[in-house]
Structure formats: structure tokens, C-alpha cells
Amino acid sequence: MKFNYKFDEDGFSARYYQGKASNTSILIILSTMRNDAIAKAFTEAKMDTLALDFIEPGREISLDDISFVAETMHAQGYEHVGLWGWGLGGSVALGVASHYPEDIDLVIGVNPFHILYQPLSIKPTTMTILYKGLPLPLLKPETKMWKQVAKEMKCSHEFHTVDRYEQCLTYGLREEMIIPVEKCQCPILLLSSQNDVVLPSEYACRQIVRRLQDHDYRYGARHLQYQMVSHVILPPKAFNRDRLLYRRISQIERNYPKHCQKARQDAFQKTLTFIQDKWPEANE
């Protein structure tokens, strides 16, 4: 098993972390920040992980390539391959499992959106999400929203974009943007925060659960809801790497740091329990 995958050589960029030699399952981490710190947190819990740089050169995300990574892990001998994604990574994880259900055995979406979208940031940027080499329709915020977010952040010291996405849902949502989660063929765990000011993740998770229920989803889905925590429901050790940054841009993290950390600890422990329940060898 390689420990360092390079895009030019392997078709993807990632770092492999081994929890224990007897593992037959691996969790692929999809995060735009601190991929490796998140992967190491799960590895400390004796799980094998792969920290994948899922945003490729040119600001492209390829569902096909992530499926290829999962196939590569299966070819390396892993019986089960799961996806853990945060924010945009959570939406992408659900998208991969929906379009390539035969490759993915478990999905964990942390504060995801129920649609594929182009994320807002302080500076304007573009992004493409590909399926079978073709761009998928994305929910895209208006250009003027970038400047509004940056201006408000200077005043409020909070990265507040949730209302912009809610506006986009009102005027720009099309059915083909919604992730067809009912096509997944694996257990799904969703985690959301009522105080997520980045994405309307609690609403999104409820939409995902409702869609699964409407299609009589038989593989199992669970939604964990938290109140006293921000968008950053990361493993506690991964959060600690950038805790000053997160507290600088999140009011609830500044005002209730202990409550937020307690929620993260609970979320991480319940995530491990969920994985151990679905992948029994994780208990050995």
C-alpha cells in the first residue's frame, strides 16, 4: 500500500494513514481544510484513512475520479470503502455515492448541502463538478454576494453565508441540482448544527432524510442534530489545529467554546460508534 499518492503518477493526490494492519475497511476524507488532521484523528481510533485532495487542479471536482479512488482502495484489498465529507465535501460524498453506489459502502456527511453547489468565499472563484467528464448543474451565488460577504465579515467578524444560500434556493434551485441520494446503496450518517451560519445544513439534512423516506430507503440513514456548535463539527483534535481561526470568524465559537467542543466530542464519538456498528471489524 502506498503512503503518498501523487496526481501526476496515480491520477489523484492523497495521503494514506494506517490504523491497524488487520483492517479491511478504509475511510476516505473529503475536506477543503485539514484533510490530514481529520484523517489522523480517525487513525488514532485504529481506522485506516485516506486524506484525498478532492479539488483537483483547475478548481475541478470529478465524481468519476473519486469513484476511481474508491475502486483503487478496493483493488488494494479493502472490503469496505467509506466517504467522510465536511461541508462541500459532504455534498460531494453524497454525490459520489449516488452516482457510483457500487463503489461506496458508507457515507458520513457533516454539515452538507442537499444539492451540488459552488461555495461562497471572501474572493470570487469558479468551480466545476464533473460526472462522466461533463459538468453537472450547480447552484451558484450571484457575483455581488462575494463582496457582501467580505464587507459584512469586517463588521461582524463572522463568516456568515447561510442567508445567501437560502436566497439562491429561492430563485436559482433546479431539480437536477438536487443530489439523488435515494440511489445510494449504503448506510448514511448526517450531522448538522442549528447554529450553522455557513450553510443551511440542518434544513439540507432534513431534506435528505425526507427524500430517503419518500423512496423507502432500505440501507439505513441517521441524522444527528446539534445546537451549541458552529459549522465546524470536526474531530476535536482537528479543530484544535485552527481553533483561533474558527473562533475569530464564528460568534458561537467565541462565546461558547466549551459547549462547542463538547458537541464536537459527542459527534466524533457517535460517528465512531456508527462506523463500528456498520463495520464490525472496527471493534476488534
Side-chain angles (χ1 to χ4, degrees), residues 44-210:
E44 288 183 6
K46 307 302 181 183
M47 296 181 57
D48 289 6
T49 58
L50 188 75
L52 177 64
D53 301 323
F54 70 102
I55 301 180
E56 300 178 357
R59 298 289 292 175
E60 285 188 352
I61 298 173
S62 172
L63 305 187
D64 316 318
D65 289 352
I66 299 173
S67 171
F68 169 74
V69 174
E71 290 177 352
T72 301
M73 295 301 102
H74 280 297
Q76 294 285 351
Y78 284 103
E79 295 179 14
H80 305 293
V81 177
L83 300 176
W84 182 101
W86 172 43
L88 176 63
S91 298
V92 170
L94 290 165
V96 174
S98 298
H99 289 88
Y100 292 98
E102 67 279 2
D103 296 328
I104 307 302
D105 304 294
L106 178 146
V107 173
I108 300 167
V110 181
N111 281 333
F113 218 164
H114 63 299
I115 58 178
L116 293 177
Y117 68 102
Q118 178 176 297
L120 271 165
S121 64
I122 296 176
K123 296 182 180 180
T125 184
T126 58
M127 180 171 289
T128 304
I129 299 181
L130 304 174
Y131 171 57
K132 293 188 175 179
L134 298 175
L136 290 169
L138 306 180
L139 188 73
K140 296 184 178 182
E142 292 181 344
T143 303
K144 65 180 181 181
M145 291 183 177
W146 307 98
K147 293 183 179 180
Q148 293 172 349
V149 170
K151 182 179 179 180
E152 291 174 4
M153 188 173 176
K154 291 181 180 179
C155 299
S156 65
H157 302 289
E158 184 159 65
F159 187 65
H160 192 110
T161 57
V162 62
D163 51 348
R164 268 60 182 197
Y165 289 114
E166 290 171 345
Q167 292 174 30
C168 293
L169 287 174
T170 301
Y171 70 77
L173 179 63
R174 304 201 310 267
E175 178 64 27
E176 57 267 31
M177 297 174 182
I178 301 175
I179 302 169
V181 290
E182 70 278 3
K183 294 182 179 179
C184 297
Q185 298 177 13
C186 65
I188 298 173
L189 175 64
L190 304 169
L191 299 94
S192 68
S193 169
Q194 296 177 15
N195 280 289
D196 186 353
V197 298
V198 176
L199 285 174
S201 58
E202 185 178 21
Y203 167 79
C205 288
R206 290 200 304 267
Q207 292 298 307
I208 292 169
V209 171
R210 183 177 296 115

Side-chain angles (χ1 to χ4, degrees), residues 22-34:
S22 60
N23 281 342
T24 60
S25 305
I26 189 168
L27 197 62
I28 299 174
I29 306 299
L30 308 178
S31 174
T32 55
M33 293 180 63
R34 293 298 185 187

